[in-house]
Structures are given as structure tokens and as C-alpha cells.
Amino acid sequence: HQIKRKRKMGKFNNKISAEFHPPKKWILERALSYQNEEMEESPLQAVGIKCPASKITCTKGFVTDLASVPRAIWWLISPWDIARAAIIHDLLYKRIRQYRAAEGVLDTHPNADTVVSNYKSAKKASDKVFLMAMKDADPAIPKWKMYAAYYAVVLCGRWSIIPREED
């Protein structure tokens, strides 16, 4: 007899309140946070992501593109289908990019193996937060859409954690 453990639910503090700035930026008009006790905090904290009490907060003024879904497939998955989870995920990836930029060129970094291990672990933990947040969304996101978005970031997200000038 196996006892099946029930997953603890996470929660968002609010709905999204953001202003659109064409062509594809949204600026939060109030903070948006997501909290889930099952979040893996240590890989996130290793790259400087603050998650007190397993809570991630995007502050008022945070700039996001919602979800980086190619326009050609919006008929299948549109950015607003998974928007709250995507905004939290955007913040996590931004912090990973900032960590990588602060650590500099890996070829010359004295602890290159640790830096690479830290940001790879943080990406994996960030992608899991994205999935958990989609599971906790209200209204509910269909499972096929949730997993399509999750596997897209697992497979293609490595390009999104490369440092950028605007970070």
C-alpha cells in the first residue's frame, strides 16, 4: 500500500495589473507575487534570488513580455494564457542573467565550475516554479497547454538566461 502525497497548492497575491508599451512590453502597475512551500529555494538563492518564505515577488514597475510565445502559435498558446506564471518566470530568468553577468567571463573565473553549476541549477528550479505556478493558476490552464509551455522553456530557455545589455 502506497500513500499518495497530496501536492500543496501555491498562490498568487493578485491578478495582473500592467500597462502595455508597444511593441511587446508590459510594465506592472502593482506587485505580483507567487508563493509555494514546495519551491526549491537553495538553487535560486545561490544566484541571488530572494525568496523569503518561498515567495517570489515582481515589484511594481517590473518590465515583462508576459510569455515569449512566437506570434505564429498564439492560436494554440497565447501569452495571456500563462501570463502570471510567465511574469514570475521572467523575473527568475532576469536574476540568473544578472548573476551570470556579475560573474563575468567563465574562462577567467576562478570558480567557473561552481558558477555554471549554480546557474544551471537555478534555471532548472525556475522552470519548476513556472510549472507549479501554472498548476496553481486560476482560471485553470489545460494540462496540455501547461506542459507544452513548460517543455518549451526547459528545451529553449538556455538562450534566455544569457546576459543582456538591458539587465
Side-chain angles (χ1 to χ4, degrees):
H1 240 32
Q2 286 187 345
I3 297 173
K4 191 171 184 179
R5 190 173 77 109
K6 186 175 165 108
R7 187 177 97 74
K8 291 181 182 176
M9 296 291 292
K11 63 182 178 184
F12 289 94
N13 70 323
N14 232 325
K15 299 287 184 196
I16 299 167
S17 179
E19 184 177 319
F20 181 58
H21 289 257
K24 55 183 178 177
K25 288 185 181 177
W26 294 82
I27 299 176
L28 293 184
E29 294 177 331
R30 67 175 175 226
L32 176 69
S33 64
Y34 174 70
Q35 185 171 20
N36 189 314
E37 293 175 11
E38 293 187 350
M39 185 183 305
E40 284 185 75
E41 294 178 28
S42 59
L44 300 174
Q45 291 168 341
V47 297
I49 297 170
K50 293 175 176 59
C51 42
S54 299
K55 185 177 185 179
I56 305 289
T57 301
C58 296
T59 58
K60 178 182 176 179
F62 181 72
V63 179
T64 180
D65 65 352
L66 298 181
S68 304
V69 178
R71 181 124 190 156
I73 63 167
W74 278 17
W75 64 273
L76 187 63
I77 301 175
S78 64
W80 42 88
D81 288 341
I82 55 174
R84 284 193 295 173
I87 292 169
I88 298 298
H89 193 249
D90 279 357
L91 174 67
L92 298 174
Y93 270 24
K94 179 179 182 176
R95 295 291 181 252
I96 294 169
R97 288 192 304 271
Q98 290 171 333
Y99 169 79
R100 291 182 69 182
E103 293 302 325
V105 180
L106 289 179
D107 294 344
T108 61
H109 197 287
N111 298 316
D113 291 342
T114 302
V115 172
V116 171
S117 175
N118 284 350
Y119 78 71
K120 284 184 176 183
S121 295
K123 181 202 176 298
K124 188 174 180 178
S126 297
D127 294 347
K128 285 182 183 176
V129 168
F130 180 51
L131 180 60
M132 287 189 296
M134 287 189 291
K135 287 179 178 179
D136 295 328
D138 182 24
I141 299 168
K143 280 189 176 188
W144 67 267
K145 196 175 283 196
M146 188 186 319
Y147 283 97
Y150 170 70
Y151 286 113
V153 299
V154 167
L155 295 172
C156 302
R158 66 178 162 266
W159 292 286
S160 296
I161 60 170
I162 296 170
R164 303 175 186 164
E165 283 295 318
E166 65 265 22
D167 292 331

